[in-house]
Amino acid sequence: MNCRKCGRKAAVNLKAYGISLCEKCYIEFYKNIVKKSIKRFRILNQDERILTAVSGGKDSSAMAAVLKELGYDIELLYIDLGIGSYSKESENAVRELSKNLDLKLNVVRLKDYGFTIDDVAEKMRRKTCSACGIAKRYIMNRFGRENDFDVIATGHTAEDMVSFYIKNLAGGAKVWAEKLMPRNDPFDERVVARAKPLFEMSEKENMLYVIIGNIPYTHAECPHAPEPEWKEIVYEVERRKPGFVKNFLRGLVRPAEGFEKISYCKICGEVASSEICAFCRLKERLES
Ligand code: SF4
Ligand code: ZN
């Protein structure tokens, strides 16, 4: 098969778009889609200081590389969650990424707040990922605000959005609309805006971008990761119905909605939905 754009031998076949491309044209194609997506959904502005959260994995590495390519003002943030050798390997990959892209790397260690995710896993096995999510959001927001960033970008993918939605819907939960938006502007001055510039990109597209572009990343996987059942269902539907994820997503993404009630944590002062924020409650439970 030949490249749809230049006619040379194709290197990738994108079923969701029904096209084949050579390596060089793929890089341009990817950049263009991200650029259009950022514009259409007003995900980022060129004059913003962007804190890019990186984990060392392919998706956030692709995000950092493409945002840099598109001329955005970015720095990297790596959160050391204290997950054995996984955290060390991830940090090495992020250090390489920072060198390769010539971007400033900021590192925050959860253990400086008094615990690690390995501690959480030992004490409250089934809740590890939700505790980890609380810790990551807390640190990102606090670091972003204290260092004057306008927005925090995370590497969520199209599959993350769709599987999150289906999983919650199937569990009977009210699906949390905030998580399904490509940009969340702050509802309070202590909250930093959040953006998902790759929300329309698939994991495969990100993987191709980092491989073809020679962008450092690691294959290392978190030992606490649950079976990715819902993701696998999403992959399977996409395999049988190419384009499913992107079409589904288009129906899903909604404009921002207001927030009901804001209060501040009486322990740390961050924004909370009750007297004590989720992060401090987590710490209390670990300490008791
Ligand atoms: Fe944290 Fe769970 Fe992700 Fe591991 S798999 S990094 S514990 S959210
Ligand atoms: Zn080509």
Side-chain angles (χ1 to χ4, degrees), residues 6-74:
C6 72
R8 269 181 297 213
K9 196 169 177 292
V12 305
N13 175 19
L14 302 169
K15 289 209 179 79
Y17 299 93
I19 57 168
S20 296
L21 294 169
C22 71
E23 292 195 344
K24 201 166 150 257
C25 294
Y26 177 74
I27 294 290
E28 285 309 307
F29 176 83
Y30 180 94
K31 263 166 50 183
N32 250 317
I33 297 195
V34 176
K35 189 176 167 184
K36 278 193 204 144
S37 182
I38 291 176
K39 274 239 161 75
R40 188 176 332 125
F41 293 93
R42 297 197 188 117
I43 302 174
L44 298 169
N45 287 316
Q46 292 285 357
D47 60 359
E48 287 180 314
R49 277 191 79 215
I50 304 163
L51 181 62
T52 307
V54 286
S55 66
K58 65 184 189 317
D59 303 308
S60 56
S61 293
M63 169 176 66
V66 74
L67 291 183
K68 158 107 196 206
E69 270 291 306
L70 294 173
Y72 287 97
D73 175 11
I74 68 171

